[in-house]
Amino acid sequence: MDVDNRGFSYRPVYPRWFEPDFHERLSAIISSPEFAAVMAAFLHHLIGYLNVMFFVGAIIAICVSAFSSLVMRDGIYDPDTEKKFILDIRPRLLYILTGGLLRYWRPIFWALTAPFWLKPEDLIPGKILLTVTIVVVGFLYFERKADFWCLNHFRNASYAVMAWIGALFRFISHISRISFQRLPWPAKKQMDHYKHMNDPALEPGEIRLLKLKRWIPFLGVRADLHHVKLADKPVYEAISYTWGTSNEEREVSINGRPFVTSTSTYDALYGRSSMFRLRVLWIDYICIDQTNNLEKGSQVNMMTEIYESATRVVVWLGKTLSARLAIGLLNEMATLPSTVDSYRRYEHLTSSVQWIAMVDFFNLLWFTRVWIVQEVAVATEVIFICGGMTISWDMLFNWTEMFRDPQISALMSLTPQSQNAKRNIINFGSIATLQKRYRIAAPFRKSLKSYKIADAIMEALNRRDPQLGHKPKEPTIMENINVVLLPTSLPFLLTDFGEFDSTDPRDKIFAFTGLATDEPNSAFVPDYTKSVEAVYRETATYLFKGKEPFSVISCAGIGSERKIKLPSWVPDWTSLPANAPFTRPGYFDDLSTDVRCSASGKTKPQVSFDETCPDVLGLGGVIVDEIAYAGRPYNLDDFGDGLIVDEVGNRFSPKEFTENYLWICEAHAVARHASKYGHGNDIIEEAFWRTLIGDQTPWKRPAPDILYRDYVQWFEFSEYNDRIAKEILAKERKSLPTDASYWQTAQDTATWGSGLGTCISMRKFAVTKGGYMAVVPALSEVGDLVSVVCGSRYPLLLRKKPGVQYQNGEMRAFHELVGECYVHGIMDGEMMNVETSVQELLIV
């Protein structure tokens, strides 16, 4: 395999059967149905039986069958079906073309030689077309690479022609509609708009369904709205879409009356209208009275059941014209052989129209909505409609999975737009994982009462006769079931999907109330009469009172920017910290016990609330240290706009190289103030590199000693990159190194860089007064207090509230939560022993 001057493997980008191996190609041609069709045409010509019309009829039959298949699968794009269609039709086309050549060889011969002995004005357009046809057919037959190239361009040309015809049809329809409306019709009778309040109120367990009438040109969207009970198992499709940001409105006809909707709602309904079949839909904009907060809350509480009961969830992504380009590129990338260097193949295409269309596709607003989590996760079947193309869930999931390839992932990190698309792809993968977890947990969730009764019986038997019940050390039935339900609990959902957006900030919570498997609680009932602050505070209070009281602590604190004024212990779910959380819900703790740390030892959580002061949280703990020195936040996300392209074609940010090395040098200088680990350089160096990665890997703690070698290599490589970047900025160097060893080192240090980014990204390196090295939130300050709280795995950084504060008439010291932190040397309960005097820390 060849290696280019940048250290990447290189080979011609063709599938295996395109490689120029004569024997393989000859064998494939002889055994192909196309060769058999050509031989049949020759034989039929020799015996005088050449029935071209028979094969024309066969092609028409195949086209009719393909159209019927398209209608039967509801227009879902299937590349396998398209491939089968091409394979079926190509031999028949070759038979017709070969037979035509044999029967009409005289005019064909004349057409081939015409350009050499006829004047241009004597040429007949039909013969010119025939000449071109012969050349193309021969080229296709003898050169398989050209076959691939022509089929690809033929498909693109077909899409372009179809798009042009569609645009022409829409233009004619628009003109006809305007002309139709301007005819001197009798004056229309003014009709009142449809209002939900004029219909009977929804009963418990009822929903509204929209029955779309058949599509008739110029009449728009017409539908009837009626009530049904979900218990009756009605057949309907649920629409998942975005309301959009446009203020433009459109009218639909509901029960014979006009109803004003958003443009995106109208487009989704119009896109699902059919001339051939009736459709029954559930769409939130129309099926929920958006002016009635009580109904809105009750229906939102049923959303999981609504989407779970639907026969199909239809995701409407909009009428994006570039969708076909994006889908074509994604399908090509998904079918690319694994032996092809994908980075080399697509590096020069990152500025092409197709690549930009793909980035725009994954940056569609739908991929960022918080509501899609439950709409898709609980669905029985999901299809996506975008730009007139319908694709299945499995196909889109397979497309997103290919971005796990490090080379393609690297290409998606070159611009801010592609970085956002990459983030959306990762979030989509999280939804796919949640869908699998939900399907596992759903049967247990529906039978919780039975399991609780069985657990109570087992407990009673155990008390009466220990040998009949379970052993005391064995987990109970509910404890085992809770392990299954935990991945779909509210702490997990808020942690994994907190980045998703919503128009109403309260929906960041309400979107998960029906999906979460936690015990029913008043905080779970969607209530749009409450303020955002009240909803967030009640949710945080519920989580602190639960089994995982510190699962929410990673999202709270004033250590990062916040948009809403809330108590510091209440997360602002509209502006979550950009760093990776230290504390996560403990589902994987039982699977990876080697990576658990516990700064509080074996202590149990001590959480208290005062009903008279709902903004105050009481935590049992002890203050152990104070921040004395702190560096700058480690933030490499600000350099995406500083990308340059050197003369070899490498895209990189010189500022990122220089700032990365500058930060590590500053952190190294701060580390010199640490005195708790000894005074030798080797001891300080070991504590330093372990602190940078939290002294752990994804599956091992403490970090293996061999990682020190990776740290040294990474540090030297950062120093080398800093020198190179300065030389390039000073015009003393034209490109990054082109030797293979440089790029091999870049790959070798990527693992260390990933571990470093997980721990230190958007955080500061600090040293405490006690001489400990620490990793603290980005907005922490010198003087912030390090506390170890009972039951918490990581220390908490607090900031003393200035001024005198009173609670119930008593003067008390209050603190603000800055955030969780890592302090090397106190992560295994060293500060929590029998003699430790635990006090109540009041956080506001």
Side-chain angles (χ1 to χ4, degrees), residues 95 399 471 650 782:
Y95 179 90
W399 287 344
K471 298 179 181 179
N650 301 305
V782 173

Side-chain angles (χ1 to χ4, degrees), residues 83-236:
K83 181 180 179 181
K84 182 178 180 300
F85 172 74
I86 293 175
L87 292 177
D88 284 345
I89 204 172
R90 189 161 57 184
R92 292 166 173 82
L93 282 175
L94 282 174
Y95 179 90
I96 295 172
L97 290 174
T98 307
L101 290 175
L102 294 172
R103 174 171 291 185
Y104 304 106
W105 68 271
R106 296 178 186 277
I108 291 173
F109 177 79
W110 178 88
L112 288 174
T113 58
F116 302 100
W117 56 273
L118 282 182
K119 298 179 181 178
E121 56 269 17
D122 296 332
L123 293 177
I124 303 174
K127 293 182 179 180
I128 295 177
L129 181 61
L130 186 59
T131 303
V132 174
T133 302
I134 300 306
V135 174
V136 170
V137 170
F139 199 49
L140 288 178
Y141 185 70
F142 290 107
E143 183 55 61
R144 302 299 295 272
K145 294 181 183 180
D147 188 6
F148 178 77
W149 182 86
C150 289
L151 282 176
N152 186 36
H153 284 71
F154 176 75
R155 185 185 295 111
N156 293 336
S158 300
Y159 288 156
V161 172
M162 291 168 62
W164 181 83
I165 294 175
L168 180 62
F169 178 76
R170 287 191 295 271
F171 174 75
I172 295 175
S173 300
H174 179 69
I175 297 298
S176 302
R177 188 184 302 112
I178 294 176
S179 304
F180 186 79
Q181 292 173 353
R182 290 185 177 181
L183 290 175
W185 300 104
K188 276 188 177 182
K189 182 180 178 181
Q190 190 68 24
M191 298 181 65
D192 295 333
H193 280 69
Y194 174 82
K195 295 181 180 179
H196 294 85
M197 65 181 66
N198 296 332
D199 289 345
L202 288 174
E203 299 292 333
E206 275 190 345
I207 62 172
R208 296 185 183 92
L209 289 181
L210 195 67
K211 185 176 181 180
L212 282 179
K213 296 182 179 180
R214 297 184 190 275
W215 177 79
I216 299 177
F218 314 123
L219 295 186
V221 176
R222 300 169 300 125
D224 292 328
L225 198 63
H226 58 281
H227 295 196
V228 297
K229 284 188 174 292
L230 270 181
D232 296 337
K233 298 182 179 180
V235 178
Y236 64 94

Side-chain angles (χ1 to χ4, degrees), residues 235-252:
V235 178
Y236 64 94
E237 294 179 348
I239 305 297
S240 175
Y241 72 116
T242 60
W243 286 11
T245 57
S246 174
N247 295 325
E248 185 180 353
E249 295 178 340
R250 300 288 298 271
E251 275 192 1
V252 299

